[in-house]
Amino acid sequence: MSKRSWPFLLGGLLVALLLAGVVSNYASSHPDGLDSSLLKGCTVNADDEITGGSCPAQQAKDHELADSPLADYGVRGIGNDFLSTGLSGVFGVLLTFALGGGLFWLARRRGPATGPATGDSGTTTQPAGTR
């Protein structure tokens, strides 16, 4: 990677960390289109718990990783919701950056396996008549 690419890469990482760590806390807490369509036909209370009716959301189950440390857009064990959401976003960005960077590093284009032929003087040799 050229030296000119590093400021761009680090700037993008800084913007992603800022968005994930701070701005993500201001995202809407209302259900998106899929969640709202699954709740049609049911009545819900102020805590978004189903209290009656019949809808597809009643058959919903917890995910197998629902008790993982970064589940539900937060870090388990941190009582402050703002900090918990921000830290989970920062961890997610750093993990994604590390995995993506590692994959690009593994897949990067490598130069030729052998260098150009050199003569006794250490300079590159050229075929006759090509000077």
Side-chain angles (χ1 to χ4, degrees):
M1 186 181 323
S2 70
K3 288 185 178 186
R4 292 183 61 190
S5 301
W6 282 107
F8 179 75
L9 186 66
L10 292 177
L13 178 62
L14 182 64
V15 168
L17 288 171
L18 181 69
L19 289 172
V22 178
V23 178
S24 64
N25 281 292
Y26 299 104
S28 174
S29 62
H30 298 293
D32 62 7
L34 178 62
D35 286 339
S36 350
S37 65
L38 291 175
L39 289 172
K40 284 188 179 176
C42 283
T43 54
V44 293
N45 62 13
D47 295 326
D48 290 329
E49 297 169 349
I50 298 172
T51 58
S54 176
C55 63
Q58 290 173 321
Q59 282 77 35
K61 299 176 191 154
D62 278 342
H63 191 274
E64 291 91 18
L65 299 176
D67 59 345
S68 67
L70 295 176
D72 208 17
Y73 303 105
V75 178
R76 182 185 300 142
I78 296 182
N80 183 336
D81 287 341
F82 189 89
L83 182 62
S84 176
T85 301
L87 281 177
S88 72
V90 167
F91 290 152
V93 166
L94 291 175
L95 181 64
T96 303
F97 184 78
L99 287 173
L103 288 173
F104 275 106
W105 181 79
L106 287 173
R108 74 185 185 277
R109 182 179 233 183
R110 303 202 186 235
T114 59
T118 57
D120 293 335
S121 64
T123 60
T124 304
T125 59
Q126 296 179 349
T130 59
R131 292 184 191 224

